[in-house]
Amino acid sequence: MTVVGVLALQGDVREHVAALRALGAEPLEVRRPDHLNAVDALVLPGGESTTMSLLLRSSGLDEPLAGRLAAGMPAFGTCAGMILLAKRLVGARPDQRCFGAIDMTVRRNAFGRQVDSFEADLCVRGVEGPVRAVFIRAPVVDDVGPEVEILASVDDRPVLCRQGNVLVCAFHPELAGDRRLHQLFLDSISQEVS
Ligand code: GLN
């Protein structure tokens, strides 16, 4: 069975673990480098990316995770997780970590402050029917490189993107009780393994 890690330093880890388990994957909470060694793929949850960035350093996960991503480990980043996987950041502290796993510029908190959080029904390429998306202090994708596929947008802003086996979204699929995007991610891992 594919072991899918969930980066468990901060954020909405539990909801991702539940979604993955419900789909038949074997989730593992990743807090230390030895946990990372045991996973085939990784979900980076929503939360607060500046805090996660600090915790990545103090936990010793920073460099090993950079190495796994550079070696092509499949990854799914939601909201703060998308910020961590991006190549370029706007509105972040200069020392905030981003791994450059997907060629995009991400602007933090660009949908506004907490009060500006909202929900939307998205039309997602390759997924039948609307996907409910919960946006919480969501980041905006300012630009994407030529290798990046845009799978869904809101007001012409990309909110769900993929580059190879790296999937990112600006919203929280794990909070809407809809597991189709987790399934999309799991499908990309099994293609890789087979
Ligand atoms: N605003 C958060 C950040 O910059 C992300 C919000 C979220 O993950 N819901 O890290």
Side-chain angles (χ1 to χ4, degrees), residues 60-191:
L61 271 169
D62 191 339
E63 287 314 315
L65 179 51
R68 288 294 304 273
L69 290 168
M73 175 178 65
F76 181 21
T78 65
C79 204
M82 174 171 94
I83 297 170
L84 291 176
L85 289 173
K87 200 164 201 168
R88 298 168 294 276
L89 300 183
V90 179
R93 279 167 42 156
D95 62 344
Q96 179 164 329
R97 188 62 156 124
C98 62
F99 290 104
I102 184 160
D103 185 8
M104 59 167 54
T105 306
V106 173
R107 182 181 296 271
R108 291 185 62 221
N109 301 330
F111 278 117
R113 297 173 304 145
Q114 195 80 43
V115 288
D116 301 313
S117 297
F118 64 98
E119 296 190 22
D121 283 321
L122 304 181
C123 177
V124 175
R125 238 172 80 191
V127 176
E128 189 96 15
V131 171
R132 190 80 179 152
V134 180
F135 291 81
I136 304 168
R137 298 197 79 205
V140 156
V141 175
D142 270 359
D143 58 58
V144 298
E147 312 270 282
V148 175
E149 292 171 83
I150 297 171
L151 302 182
S153 300
V154 169
D155 297 335
D156 289 330
R157 292 161 156 173
V159 294
L160 173 66
C161 297
R162 181 167 58 195
Q163 181 177 347
N165 53 21
V166 176
L167 183 68
V168 296
C169 60
F171 54 91
H172 289 264
E174 72 288 1
L175 296 182
D178 185 332
R179 303 194 178 108
R180 287 174 295 168
L181 298 188
H182 289 84
Q183 187 63 61
L184 195 68
F185 179 55
L186 294 179
D187 291 346
S188 71
I189 304 170
S190 54
Q191 274 168 18

